[in-house]
Amino acid sequence: MYNLTALREEFPVLEEVIYLDNAATTQTPVRSVEAICDFFYEYAGNYGRATHRLARETTIRCEESREELATFLGAYPEQIIWTGNTTGAINLVSQGLPWKKGDEVLCTALEHHSNLLPWMALKKRGVKIGIIPQEGGYVDPDSVSDMITGKTRVVAVTQMTNVTGTIQPVDEIADITHDAGAVIVVDGAQSVGHIPVDITKMDYLAIAGHKGLLGPQGVGALYAEDPATLSESQYGGGTVASVSFEEVTLRPVPARLEPGTPNIPGIIGMGPAIRLVDELGAEEIADHEEALGIALFDALEELGLVDIFSPRGTSVLSFGVQGLHPDLVATRLDEMASICVRSGMHCAEPYARSFCDQGTVRASVACYNTREEVLVLADTLREMLDAWDPDSEPDYIPEPDPWEKSKCP
């Protein structure tokens, strides 16, 4: 086990709050923030755009981060395509593959909107969408076998759900997918950096920089086993080798799939963050987070009036407090004990709504959380329940939020 006390020194905000909203975004370590500051203070130039020393240094640092991520995954640097987020990575695949009317995509009933809406949008092009059922937070590979056909082009599946933290049998699903002549697209937003990830059988893996990899927001990546299978969905600077009014010659991958100026400080900040995760070890992180999940599950189970929707031991634990709106529970946890959790649909509305029309309360742990913190959450809920008078409790109506339908934490 790594030194948890030393690790927490990388995240000063943890002295102020109990942060259990890691499925939305993790905190960023000091070393990553310092690397970003160094960029702005010492060598800020544009990536791949000039020969002067600042631009050269910028380009070197960005490529070092690409190499860090490739090494972490066991991939080649040219298989890593920078995007703005996991959403951008999945859209890069959905828009970059050739489609014809009658093609089919299979998604699971567990998906975050980012691994559902890009495929649903293909209906406009005559592509059919099938939803693979789930039971208890898991997809049975036999269900994939039952639904897949010769017209199936893509099977899209989350490796770890952002609502209940369940881990799907990606390797088995990949075997079934490949036997049918289709490709598998894996949403790794919640898995990469939290658990060991084997890319061997994955055709595409969408990666979030700001979750398990501890990087800054606004950076994501796509691992593509063969990036040449993807066509460009956007065009512009940085993608071309030469341009005339008659002809355009594109650069090789990954450059031709990375148009425009990227999030340079974010990409540079990814390098130190990935190295930190690598130093801790994916196995050690997974073991630590599982232990925290078990401790929290057991403590909540003792409370009564709390419905737990996640299996025991997941690092993302969704629950509901009987009689109280999830938003009210989350607000009171913050007010009473500076505990940060998420409430609502978690941008996975079909799955979250299957538990409660109002969504769930979600506590999600990361490598830097402690057993004491998750027990404080349980103790605060107990205090909340002890003080609750259902006869005098006013109905809680959340303030209208015009962005609620599109927010994707």
Side-chain angles (χ1 to χ4, degrees):
M1 177 60 191
Y2 47 84
N3 187 329
L4 191 55
T5 301
L7 174 63
R8 287 174 65 87
E9 292 177 359
E10 288 271 4
F11 306 93
V13 72
L14 300 183
E15 297 179 6
E16 307 297 328
V17 299
I18 295 176
Y19 187 77
L20 297 173
D21 192 19
N22 295 285
T25 188
T26 54
Q27 298 301 310
T28 306
V30 168
R31 65 182 71 185
S32 182
V33 176
E34 289 176 342
I36 294 171
C37 290
D38 289 344
F39 164 73
F40 283 115
Y41 293 151
E42 298 177 8
Y43 61 91
N46 211 339
Y47 167 78
R49 298 295 197 277
T51 59
H52 61 75
R53 68 185 66 184
L54 301 187
R56 292 201 307 271
E57 183 69 15
T58 295
T59 302
I60 289 170
R61 297 296 183 94
C62 285
E63 289 307 311
E64 286 176 348
S65 289
R66 192 193 304 273
E67 291 171 4
E68 290 280 358
L69 180 54
T71 300
F72 181 80
L73 293 172
Y76 297 105
E78 56 268 26
Q79 293 176 306
I80 302 298
I81 303 154
W82 291 119
T83 64
N85 37 51
T86 312
T87 304
I90 295 170
N91 275 272
L92 187 62
V93 181
S94 70
Q95 296 302 310
L97 291 176
W99 301 99
K100 63 180 183 296
K101 188 174 182 179
D103 285 344
E104 182 181 63
V105 174
L106 297 182
C107 300
T108 82
L110 302 169
E111 299 309 315
H112 187 282
H113 295 167
S114 291
N115 202 25
L116 177 63
L117 302 188
W119 308 112
M120 291 180 66
L122 295 174
K123 290 181 179 181
K124 299 174 184 177
R125 298 165 66 175
V127 176
K128 298 179 180 179
I129 308 298
I131 303 300
I132 305 165
Q134 62 87 19
E135 185 172 352
Y138 295 94
V139 171
D140 186 341
D142 288 341
S143 297
V144 182
S145 294
D146 292 341
M147 292 186 65
I148 202 164
T149 72
K151 294 184 177 181
T152 304
R153 295 288 311 286
V154 166
V155 174
V157 59
T158 181
Q159 187 165 31
M160 179 191 291
T161 72
N162 74 313
V163 178
T164 58
T166 50
I167 300 171
Q168 306 310 309
V170 168
D171 282 356
E172 294 177 63
I173 295 173
D175 287 338
I176 295 166
T177 301
H178 293 150
D179 287 345
V183 298
I184 185 168
V185 178
V186 179
D187 179 352
Q190 301 297 334
S191 59
V192 177
H194 286 290
I195 62 174
V197 173
D198 182 3
I199 61 173
T200 304
K201 296 183 179 182
M202 298 181 188
D203 297 293
Y204 305 99
L205 172 66
I207 301 160
H210 68 107
K211 302 194 188 220
L213 291 178
L214 306 179
Q217 294 90 346
V219 182
L222 175 71
Y223 158 78
E225 193 277 329
D226 182 6
T229 56
L230 297 175
S231 299
E232 307 76 34
S233 55
Q234 293 183 326
Y235 298 86
T239 66
V240 294
S242 66
V243 177
S244 71
F245 290 124
E246 290 75 33
E247 185 178 11
V248 174
T249 302
L250 295 174
R251 296 173 65 191
V253 292
R256 69 172 176 81
L257 298 173
E258 296 177 341
T261 297
N263 180 357
I264 293 170
I267 291 172
I268 288 172
M270 285 299 303
I274 294 168
R275 286 194 291 275
L276 175 56
V277 174
D278 201 28
E279 289 168 10
L280 300 177
E283 290 279 3
E284 288 75 12
I285 291 172
D287 289 345
H288 175 63
E289 293 180 359
E290 180 182 4
L292 294 181
I294 290 171
L296 180 56
F297 184 99
D298 291 347
L300 294 185
E301 196 173 40
E302 295 177 359
L303 294 180
L305 297 180
V306 174
D307 299 315
I308 306 173
F309 306 127
S310 298
R312 184 174 184 266
T314 64
S315 61
V316 181
L317 197 147
S318 271
F319 62 92
V321 178
Q322 296 175 21
L324 294 180
H325 194 286
D327 289 353
L328 178 59
V329 175
T331 300
R332 287 188 173 175
L333 287 171
D334 188 10
E335 293 171 345
M336 294 172 67
S338 300
I339 299 171
C340 301
V341 297
R342 169 73 173 156
S343 58
M345 297 298 175
H346 318 300
C347 210
E349 187 169 345
Y351 186 32
R353 196 178 288 281
S354 70
F355 300 113
C356 175
D357 283 342
Q358 299 166 330
T360 76
V361 183
R362 183 185 71 186
S364 49
V365 300
C367 56
Y368 44 64
N369 287 118
T370 67
R371 177 182 174 86
E372 290 73 23
E373 287 179 318
V374 299
L375 295 182
V376 169
L377 169 59
D379 288 342
T380 306
L381 282 171
R382 179 181 292 107
E383 182 182 347
M384 187 187 304
L385 289 168
D386 288 345
W388 180 48
D389 180 357
D391 294 328
S392 62
E393 186 71 31
D395 291 336
Y396 177 73
I397 302 175
E399 294 182 5
D401 184 349
W403 297 99
E404 184 60 35
K405 292 300 182 183
S406 60
K407 282 195 299 188
C408 294

